[in-house]
Amino acid sequence: MAKREELRELQARLADRLSQVRTQTAVGASWLAVKISGKNFLLPLSQSGEVVPWNGVEPVPYTKPWMLGVTSIRGILLTVVDLAQMLGLPIVRNEQTYSEASVIALNPMMGVNAALFFERLEGLRGTNDFKESGDTPAGAPEFFGALYTAANGETWQELNLQLLANAPEFLDITV
């Protein structure tokens, strides 16, 4: 029962923060910052949906290893994709990793019932959080956007979730 109340509290705080972000000016937050396999990624808020803590998934047979399974968020069945596995990033996970992990649904307006598994949420970021931006790295997947550098030297890779949702490798989950 306590876990349910904590989840509701978390969801209420996130909904409130997302509501605040939507009313900010263009220099305000425009990305949800996440970590996967030790790398920093930025998800456009306009393309992101609900964020829920990792609670496991129901596995689906005959799918690629990066398709973790399905979960239900508010009664909507979503496939959960492990982007780290899909991108071929090194994966080292333990109980602590899963306790901090989240599932982020893609915006329902994109027409794909999918969510992404991330190891840790890092908060909200805006253009004012970065000292410079650069072009997409050479050889990067088509859904990679600009590369941003923070004042502390950390680099953050923007992901275009709409392009990801339409990428043939993302849509082809069967083995």
Side-chain angles (χ1 to χ4, degrees):
M1 190 67 125
K3 263 193 155 191
R4 230 181 239 172
E5 289 175 16
E6 288 175 19
L7 177 59
R8 285 186 185 136
E9 232 174 76
L10 173 67
Q11 289 173 334
R13 284 194 317 264
L14 285 172
D16 184 48
R17 289 187 71 193
L18 286 173
S19 175
Q20 290 173 5
V21 166
R22 288 184 181 115
T23 61
Q24 289 178 346
T25 63
V27 295
S30 54
W31 295 290
L32 185 60
V34 299
K35 278 203 186 273
I36 60 168
S37 293
K39 298 196 179 296
N40 302 318
F41 290 91
L42 299 169
L43 309 178
L45 286 173
S46 63
Q47 298 174 356
S48 301
E50 190 159 355
V51 179
V52 297
W54 172 254
N55 199 21
V57 293
E58 288 297 318
V60 177
Y62 309 112
T63 59
K64 293 189 176 162
W66 49 260
M67 209 299 250
L68 296 177
V70 294
T71 192
S72 176
I73 298 179
R74 296 193 188 270
I76 299 171
L77 197 60
L78 303 169
T79 60
V80 179
V81 171
D82 184 343
L83 197 56
Q85 282 191 47
M86 186 178 155
L87 295 173
L89 298 175
I91 298 171
V92 178
R93 295 188 179 138
N94 55 35
E95 194 173 313
Q96 176 70 28
T97 305
Y98 288 106
S99 72
E100 296 176 353
S102 296
V103 174
I104 302 169
L106 300 183
N107 188 318
M109 305 268 284
M110 289 196 280
V112 177
N113 285 357
L116 303 173
F117 172 86
F118 287 100
E119 293 158 2
R120 196 167 71 215
L121 290 171
E122 293 291 322
L124 300 173
R125 299 289 191 279
T127 54
N128 55 340
D129 292 314
F130 302 102
K131 66 177 185 176
E132 63 185 40
S133 66
D135 293 334
T136 304
E142 67 178 18
F143 50 87
F144 274 34
L147 191 61
Y148 291 87
T149 305
N152 65 2
E154 281 187 321
T155 58
W156 292 82
Q157 178 63 62
E158 182 181 28
L159 295 178
N160 183 321
L161 298 180
Q162 183 68 59
L163 290 177
L164 172 65
N166 293 319
E169 63 269 23
F170 184 82
L171 297 171
D172 182 17
I173 62 170
T174 59
V175 286

